[in-house]
Amino acid sequence: MKWVTTANVHFDRVASPWLIRRFIDPKAEFFFVARGQEDKRPADAIPIAIPGTAKLGPHDKDGPTFMKLLREYKLNDPALERMAKVVDEGVRFVTEGYRPPIGDREGAIAIGYLAFSDGMILHKKNDQERLDASFVAYDALYALFKANKGMSLVARDQSQESGSSGRL
């Protein structure tokens, strides 16, 4: 399948292609169009996070594109739902000035992933390189949420009766 989004991918428009490649379409191809030139997108590509797109448009009152993909493709996985919350809180941090309260683990992770995403824009020269280089970070977050419900490794170790592992 071919997918298209706007150029200069960042955060939700990196997490969403990760989700597509890992859980919807392992052979997905991604195309990028400049903002304001969305009408020049490939006709045979599924638009994601493009203004005016009915089901999989950009973040809005229905949530980020990542969350819309979860619903559209009926991906019922608690680890992916936690990731959707990270993406949602990161998007709201940027667009609404949301600031996660102390104890909001997903919000804290979102802030870190936003910094990672900002750095990737500076580090990699094009969108495909940014996706390729970023997917490992989303693989790692998924592994964390899948393995221990999002607890830090220290918190998980402390909750076990065997005592602390000494990790920091």
Side-chain angles (χ1 to χ4, degrees):
M1 295 165 72
K2 294 178 183 177
W3 302 78
V4 62
T5 191
T6 52
N8 299 311
V9 293
H10 183 265
F11 201 57
D12 188 18
R13 287 178 302 113
V14 173
S16 294
W18 172 86
L19 181 66
I20 290 166
R21 182 79 53 84
R22 297 299 189 258
F23 294 91
I24 299 168
D25 180 10
K27 295 182 180 185
E29 294 180 68
F30 297 99
F31 296 88
F32 311 95
V33 294
R35 287 189 187 274
Q37 296 184 10
E38 292 89 349
D39 59 327
K40 295 181 181 175
R41 67 185 186 251
D44 59 343
I46 300 167
I48 57 168
I50 290 182
T53 301
K55 290 183 184 178
L56 303 174
H59 48 267
D60 59 18
K61 65 179 176 41
D62 295 322
T65 306
F66 189 96
M67 199 174 286
K68 293 173 185 179
L69 283 162
L70 283 181
R71 287 191 297 261
E72 178 69 18
Y73 289 91
K74 297 174 179 50
L75 299 174
N76 298 314
D77 178 335
L80 291 176
E81 291 169 13
R82 295 282 305 273
M83 290 181 74
K85 187 171 182 202
V86 168
V87 173
D88 183 51
E89 291 194 19
V91 167
R92 291 188 307 121
F93 181 92
V94 172
T95 62
E96 300 171 12
Y98 172 76
R99 297 301 179 258
I102 294 174
D104 178 356
R105 181 139 171 86
E106 290 85 358
I109 290 169
I111 303 308
Y113 269 67
L114 281 168
F116 171 82
S117 222
D118 289 348
M120 196 56 72
I121 286 174
L122 299 171
H123 181 60
K124 296 297 180 182
K125 62 184 174 203
N126 69 54
D127 289 311
Q128 190 59 56
E129 287 182 8
R130 290 178 193 137
L131 291 184
D132 294 341
S134 297
F135 281 6
V136 67
Y138 290 90
D139 289 338
L141 185 59
Y142 179 73
L144 177 68
F145 285 162
K146 194 72 172 173
N148 61 40
K149 299 174 181 55
M151 295 173 65
S152 71
L153 296 178
V154 172
R156 184 192 66 189
D157 289 346
Q158 289 173 351
S159 72
Q160 296 173 347
E161 294 184 344
S162 63
S164 177
S165 70
R167 290 188 193 147
L168 294 178

